[in-house]
Amino acid sequence: MRLDELWEGEMAGVEVGGEKVLLMNIDGDVRAYRNRCPHQAWALDEGDFDGETLTCSRHMWVFDARSGSGVNPDNCRLASFPCRVDEDGTIRVDLG
């Protein structure tokens, strides 16, 4: 996916090497997370993103979009992947 396809304040579910990944553009900074809620593995791209927090649509768990840390409840965390934006605007995700 290219950065110009993921506007600031938007998220998108993509597949990278067979892994479902959630990309989020937070004020021009792209974050990549496993596209599954740690609670019951619900797809996070079906949730709500207000530009700062992500809310899972299934049970309303809330996460800080920048860090992936749980807000409610605060004892959980999203699984993250390193990512970068190439000079040509392509978003690259490292699955490790």
Side-chain angles (χ1 to χ4, degrees):
M1 177 174 244
R2 295 181 46 82
L3 184 59
D4 59 7
E5 298 173 281
L6 185 67
W7 292 21
E8 288 185 18
E10 288 189 342
M11 66 178 176
V14 297
E15 191 165 319
V16 178
E19 178 77 45
K20 293 182 185 212
V21 174
L22 178 70
L23 297 175
M24 306 178 83
N25 186 333
I26 308 152
D27 297 323
D29 188 23
V30 179
R31 296 283 200 260
Y33 299 104
R34 180 171 286 121
N35 193 8
R36 292 284 176 243
C37 181
H39 178 219
Q40 291 187 342
W42 199 258
L44 290 169
D45 65 329
E46 295 177 9
D48 294 313
F49 175 46
D50 67 7
E52 295 180 13
T53 59
L54 169 65
T55 303
C56 179
S57 64
R58 184 68 171 183
H59 294 107
M60 309 311 278
W61 281 31
V62 180
F63 303 90
D64 180 287
R66 284 197 187 278
S67 67
S69 295
V71 173
N72 184 24
D74 62 2
N75 63 346
C76 61
R77 173 176 288 285
L78 298 177
S80 64
F81 301 107
C83 68
R84 70 176 192 282
V85 179
D86 287 346
E87 288 184 22
D88 68 356
T90 302
I91 300 169
R92 304 277 182 199
V93 178
D94 181 2
L95 298 178

